[in-house]
Amino acid sequence: MTKKILIIIAVLVVLGIAAWFFFLRGENVKYEWKTAKVEKGDITMTVTATGTLNAVTTVQVGTQVSGIINKILVDFNSVVKEGQVIARLDTTYLSAAVEDAKATVNRNRIQVNQSKRDFDRTKALFADSVVAQADYDNALTAYETAMSNMVSAQANLNRAYINLRYATITAPISGVIVSRAVDVGQTVAASFNTPTLFTIANDLTKMQVQASVDEADIGKIKVGQAVTFTVDAYENQDFTGTVQQVRLQPTVTQNVVNYTVIIDVPNPDLKLMPGMTANITVTIDEVKDVLRVPSTALRFNPPQAYIEKMMSEMPDSIKQKREKWMKSGGGQSRQGGMAGMGPGGNFQKAARSDRGTLWILADGKLKPQRVHLGLSDGTYTQVEGKITEGEEVVTAQANATTSTKSTQTQQNPFGPPTGPRR
């Protein structure tokens, strides 16, 4: 019996010491807070991406015939007009092919004339029943064959003339030469793949950015949205553009799905050049002169000990209403912080995804305030509710004094338990 009494006394002593640390020491904790003021300002929601600048229309000029480059009449950055001669191939073999085709045409013309005379003679004799039907048919066949050979020879002559014209390379569009891939004396061979000799950009005063946007952000991009971007060549200058097209074809790079967005960009002063890398920012939504708070304030929760102390100071009527509300299924918002405190005072009855809780510092004490959430740029969030400009909201705890009670897991007592279910 004495042993049991000693064990009971020891347990009571331990519980008393624990209670002293848990309650009395907790009363001496000094809390310090990092705060920010509710202010008015602008909030802009954006999507960022990178892309490459290109001319709106770029044409690669090649050759349909093989040969040696005889003359080049343009260089890099040359301004050309549509139809202007920009290069010539050596025409020695092509001219010889034309002469050979002419000779073939003359030879076939002679054969046509000869077969025509033979047919006319045979036709007259056949009319007088001097020759047989077979002789007439043979003469007619020879004449028709000679005519067909003449047509084929004429087509070969036309093809030779066309190839000779192809030796003179002209600009298909007006624009600027941005690339020249050949020099005088170089041999180009036109086979299945046409060699590229020049690249012509149509109008460099109108450019476009081909931006690669992640699939997580592509749903926010719409045609007509405003775009700003920078390039490394002009670090302190912002350029503007407009979303012109969202292409449906996906591009998969290292298991990341991206989509190409085309952005029209004016370039009147020709500062932007093809191939530059653009760091773009697409404006998704924007609000002006609204109440905003740092987004960290919506994620802040006071220490558990502070909340328990604050709850202990509540009137019994509110405690009873809160317990009843908790049993009915109160929740916590997606923003963290207070999901709702149930009936009474400023407490809300249920949590919603468009609502959050701010902890306002007034007279050295914290007071939870439910607010409606608006646009957010990640740094600031638009808020609406019973809150005024200039009020101080807590963003973090700044004090260095801690205790066993204050270092417990921070849990919102006004939301559902977060521990394991039993």
Side-chain angles (χ1 to χ4, degrees):
M1 182 65 68
T2 305
K3 186 176 181 179
K4 290 183 177 179
I5 294 174
L6 292 175
I7 293 175
I8 294 174
I9 293 174
V11 171
L12 291 176
V13 171
V14 172
L15 291 176
I17 295 174
W20 182 80
F21 274 99
F22 192 77
F23 292 102
L24 299 182
R25 290 291 300 273
E27 298 292 334
N28 298 324
V29 175
K30 181 181 179 182
Y31 294 97
E32 297 178 0
W33 314 105
K34 293 182 180 179
T35 62
K37 289 188 177 182
V38 180
E39 61 181 15
K40 281 193 174 183
D42 303 336
I43 298 179
T44 304
M45 181 185 292
T46 61
V47 169
T48 58
T50 59
T52 304
L53 277 161
N54 291 295
V56 175
T57 303
T58 302
V59 178
Q60 294 179 338
V61 182
T63 175
Q64 287 188 303
V65 295
S66 303
I68 299 174
I69 300 294
N70 189 27
K71 287 184 180 180
I72 293 180
L73 305 177
V74 293
D75 203 349
F76 290 93
N77 302 337
S78 296
V79 178
V80 296
K81 299 284 188 178
E82 182 179 353
Q84 178 181 337
V85 177
I86 57 179
R88 286 193 177 93
L89 299 179
D90 181 60
T91 59
T92 301
Y93 289 105
L94 297 174
S95 298
V98 171
E99 296 300 324
D100 182 63
K102 286 181 178 179
T104 302
V105 169
N106 289 331
R107 185 164 53 250
N108 281 274
R109 183 179 294 112
I110 293 172
Q111 291 177 355
V112 167
N113 293 335
Q114 178 62 37
S115 60
K116 177 71 166 56
R117 290 191 294 267
D118 291 342
F119 173 70
D120 289 341
R121 187 183 307 111
T122 303
K123 182 178 180 181
L125 294 174
F126 178 75
D128 295 336
S129 300
V130 176
V131 297
Q133 180 70 40
D135 294 333
Y136 174 81
D137 292 341
N138 290 335
L140 177 60
T141 300
Y143 175 62
E144 290 176 343
T145 301
M147 289 291 292
S148 297
N149 291 337
M150 180 64 182
V151 173
S152 177
Q154 186 63 49
N156 289 333
L157 177 60
N158 292 338
R159 186 180 300 111
Y161 274 122
I162 291 172
N163 288 337
L164 182 60
R165 288 198 299 270
Y166 281 155
T168 301
I169 300 171
T170 60
I173 61 172
S174 299
V176 179
I177 303 292
V178 296
S179 173
R180 176 171 67 85
V182 292
D183 291 306
V184 174
Q186 184 173 341
T187 301
V188 292
S191 55
F192 294 103
N193 295 322
T194 301
T196 299
L197 309 182
F198 304 92
T199 301
I200 302 177
N202 185 19
D203 185 5
L204 293 183
T205 62
K206 297 177 182 179
M207 305 281 286
Q208 64 179 203
V209 177
Q210 295 185 3
S212 182
V213 179
D214 185 85
E215 63 175 324
D217 296 324
I218 194 64
K220 305 172 186 175
I221 306 298
K222 306 296 179 184
V223 174
Q225 288 176 332
V227 177
T228 59
F229 66 94
T230 60
V231 294
D232 292 340
Y234 308 99
E235 296 181 355
N236 299 323
Q237 184 172 354
D238 291 334
F239 299 89
T240 60
T242 306
V243 175
Q244 187 266 335
Q245 183 185 53
V246 179
R247 294 184 177 174
L248 302 179
Q249 182 181 10
T251 302
V252 182
T253 304
Q254 296 180 349
N255 295 327
V256 177
V257 180
N258 296 312
Y259 292 86
T260 300
V261 176
I262 305 300
I263 301 165
D264 284 341
V265 176
N267 187 31
D269 50 6
L270 301 180
K271 285 186 175 182
L272 300 174
M273 302 180 186
M276 285 184 171
T277 299
N279 301 307
I280 71 168
T281 301
V282 184
T283 302
I284 305 302
D285 199 358
E286 186 177 17
V287 290
K288 300 283 189 180
D289 196 29
V290 296
L291 287 179
R292 65 180 189 179
V293 296
S295 298
T296 53
L298 293 164
R299 298 189 291 268
F300 170 74
N301 263 336
Q304 188 75 9
Y306 185 90
I307 295 179
E308 291 179 358
K309 180 182 177 182
M310 183 181 69
M311 291 180 58
S312 67
E313 297 174 354
M314 289 182 179
D316 293 338
S317 58
I318 294 182
K319 290 181 181 179
Q320 293 174 359
K321 291 181 180 180
R322 178 192 168 274
E323 290 177 0
K324 184 178 178 181
W325 174 77
M326 287 295 296
K327 291 179 181 179
S328 66
Q332 191 171 15
S333 75
R334 65 187 175 98
Q335 293 291 338
M338 300 277 292
M341 300 173 68
N346 292 324
F347 307 157
Q348 300 293 331
K349 192 170 184 179
R352 291 174 47 181
S353 60
D354 62 344
R355 294 183 180 180
T357 301
L358 296 173
W359 289 87
I360 299 174
L361 181 62
D363 299 327
K365 293 183 178 181
L366 300 188
K367 180 185 71 172
Q369 177 61 57
R370 297 285 288 157
V371 291
H372 291 274
L373 306 180
L375 199 64
S376 176
D377 60 4
T379 303
Y380 290 95
T381 300
Q382 177 188 0
V383 293
E384 296 178 353
K386 295 180 180 180
I387 189 169
T388 58
E389 183 180 3
E391 286 187 301
E392 290 191 352
V393 293
V394 180
T395 60
Q397 183 180 354
N399 68 306
T401 305
T402 59
S403 68
T404 303
K405 189 174 180 180
S406 63
T407 55
Q408 296 177 357
T409 302
Q410 295 184 15
Q411 177 182 329
N412 184 358
F414 308 108
T418 59
R421 296 183 179 179
R422 295 184 181 273

